[in-house]
Structures are given as C-alpha cells and as structure tokens.
Amino acid sequence: MPRNDGNKNKFEDLKKLELTLKNIHKNEEFLEENAEELSAHQIKDVKSKLASKKKHLEETDGTIK
C-alpha cells in the first residue's frame, strides 16, 4: 500500500504558482509590445487584473511555503 506524501500537494501548488507568475510576466510583456493596438481603457483593465492576480499569488505563496 503506497504512503501518502503530505508534501506532494504543496510542491504541486508551488509549481502552479511559479507557472502562473511566469504567465503573468509574459502577459505584461505582451501588453507593452502591443500597447499601440489597444485603447488606454483596455490596457488599464488588463493591468489592474494582472496586478490583482499577482498580489493574490504573492500572498498565497507565503502561506504555502
């Protein structure tokens, strides 16, 4: 019978957090590159959403580690 590894979920969550943060940075770079194609209102909305996600992930990151 296999043992339950209590840290497995923790490590999976940390990997997901890292991947999500990496994707957020890619999205920010994409916004900078394509800023002239978007309206100021669209850029503001996307940046605020990315900032809130990043803040949430940083807060969650401290609780998981």
Side-chain angles (χ1 to χ4, degrees), residues 8-38:
K8 183 178 180 182
N9 291 336
K10 175 183 164 184
F11 292 127
E12 289 175 355
D13 289 344
L14 288 174
K15 287 180 185 179
K16 287 178 187 177
L17 284 175
E18 290 175 21
L19 180 63
T20 305
L21 283 173
K22 192 182 296 184
N23 287 336
I24 288 172
H25 292 297
K26 284 182 184 179
N27 288 338
E28 289 172 342
E29 291 173 8
F30 179 79
L31 272 180
E32 291 174 8
E33 293 171 0
N34 298 306
E36 56 275 345
E37 296 177 13
L38 301 171

